[in-house]
Amino acid sequence: MTATVSSPSTRSPSIRKVRDLRRVERRVAAVVLLVPGIAAALSRLFTTDDSDARKALDLVAADPGRQFTLALLGFIAILTMVPAFLAAARLARRRRPLLTMIALGVNLIAYLSAWAVPALDTMYLAGSRLPVEQRDGAAALIDAMWSEGLTGTSTMIMVIGQLLGAILMGLALRGSIPTVGWVAMILSQPIHILAFALNVFDPAALAWGLTALAFACCAVTVLRTPDDEWDLPPRS
């Protein structure tokens, strides 16, 4: 009787090719970097004086499209601000990892706490569409929301975090983007303080314009960054 011995298969397992998306990620990051600063700067051009909620509702009612544009641009800015800072941090972390981590943490806390701003902008739009005799109640509701502790805390965290976060990120980006970019990000914050102190909107538009310039410098640098410096390649 003869035994038959089967030899082990010499067929090697197939290797699945993983698609490298780093170039796509860089292009998407560059586009996202352009959005929040521009959207925020444009939104300041449509702002209505809301120091008196009742009068503001009448002003918005006279031109509701203006308030809708403000609310839409504000929503877009808030939605894309965190991804933009994440992309900027990816550029800065190789030179200044600790400062970048701190700057990114401050910005994340600031803009993830910014829910009150677009909510109030939307409330003004909704209140302006009520009949005139009902706008007193809408104004009272808006004032009550402003005085609510949670809303005030959210706004305070956003304002302080925005000031500190942009300055820290600007310092972290030194050497990673052109000088005009990180200097613009730092200088934008004193202009924000000036706009807040004077209660005017043109300086705020200029401040966000400087932020947009800084992010644009980041976008150009991202596009010029080799894939291997942007991220590790995928494993097969």
Side-chain angles (χ1 to χ4, degrees), residues 12-18 235-236:
S12 60
S14 60
I15 298 177
R16 182 173 60 91
K17 184 177 181 180
V18 180
R235 290 184 176 181
S236 300

Side-chain angles (χ1 to χ4, degrees), residues 20 46 52 77 129 149 157 170 204 217 223:
D20 190 346
F46 296 91
D52 186 312
R129 291 173 174 171
I157 291 175
C217 291
L223 291 176

Side-chain angles (χ1 to χ4, degrees), residues 149-205:
L150 189 59
T151 303
T153 301
S154 168
T155 305
M156 181 182 67
I157 291 175
M158 188 203 70
V159 171
I160 296 176
Q162 171 191 322
L163 293 174
L164 293 178
I167 292 174
L168 291 173
M169 186 60 74
L171 293 173
L173 284 166
R174 287 175 301 160
S176 298
I177 63 173
T179 302
V180 65
W182 64 264
V183 170
M185 184 168 286
I186 293 175
L187 290 181
S188 66
Q189 301 315 300
I191 300 177
H192 273 300
I193 296 174
L194 176 64
F196 179 78
L198 299 179
N199 194 27
V200 289
F201 307 120
D202 291 343

Side-chain angles (χ1 to χ4, degrees), residues 1-233:
M1 182 175 181
T2 304
T4 302
V5 180
S6 60
S7 61
S9 174
T10 59
R11 181 183 300 175
S12 60
S14 60
I15 298 177
R16 182 173 60 91
K17 184 177 181 180
V18 180
R19 181 173 298 178
D20 190 346
L21 297 177
R22 289 177 294 173
R23 181 173 297 180
V24 176
E25 290 174 357
R26 286 191 297 106
R27 290 175 178 175
V28 171
V31 172
V32 171
L33 278 162
L34 298 176
V35 176
I38 294 175
L42 291 176
S43 71
R44 295 302 88 191
L45 303 178
F46 296 91
T47 303
T48 301
D49 183 5
D50 59 357
S51 54
D52 186 312
R54 182 63 183 84
K55 292 180 180 179
L57 288 175
D58 289 336
L59 292 174
V60 173
D63 188 2
R66 181 184 182 93
Q67 184 68 19
F68 175 80
T69 303
L70 169 67
L72 178 61
L73 290 172
F75 172 76
I76 293 173
I78 294 296
L79 184 66
T80 55
M81 194 67 74
V82 168
F85 272 109
L86 287 171
R90 188 179 284 269
L91 291 176
R93 66 182 181 180
R94 294 190 66 183
R95 289 180 178 270
R96 295 176 177 84
L98 179 59
L99 182 58
T100 300
M101 181 183 68
I102 296 172
L104 182 59
V106 172
N107 281 293
L108 290 180
I109 293 173
Y111 290 104
L112 291 176
S113 300
W115 58 268
V117 175
L120 287 165
D121 288 340
T122 305
M123 285 186 68
Y124 277 103
L125 180 61
S128 70
R129 291 173 174 171
L130 295 173
V132 177
E133 61 273 11
Q134 296 182 18
R135 289 178 192 164
D136 288 338
L141 178 61
I142 291 173
D143 289 336
M145 186 172 178
W146 268 121
S147 62
E148 178 64 35
L150 189 59
T151 303
T153 301
S154 168
T155 305
M156 181 182 67
I157 291 175
M158 188 203 70
V159 171
I160 296 176
Q162 171 191 322
L163 293 174
L164 293 178
I167 292 174
L168 291 173
M169 186 60 74
L171 293 173
L173 284 166
R174 287 175 301 160
S176 298
I177 63 173
T179 302
V180 65
W182 64 264
V183 170
M185 184 168 286
I186 293 175
L187 290 181
S188 66
Q189 301 315 300
I191 300 177
H192 273 300
I193 296 174
L194 176 64
F196 179 78
L198 299 179
N199 194 27
V200 289
F201 307 120
D202 291 343
L206 174 60
W208 282 116
L210 290 175
T211 303
L213 174 61
F215 279 147
C217 291
C218 290
V220 173
T221 305
V222 166
L223 291 176
R224 293 177 176 176
T225 301
D227 289 341
D228 289 336
E229 293 186 16
W230 177 254
D231 200 359
L232 295 174

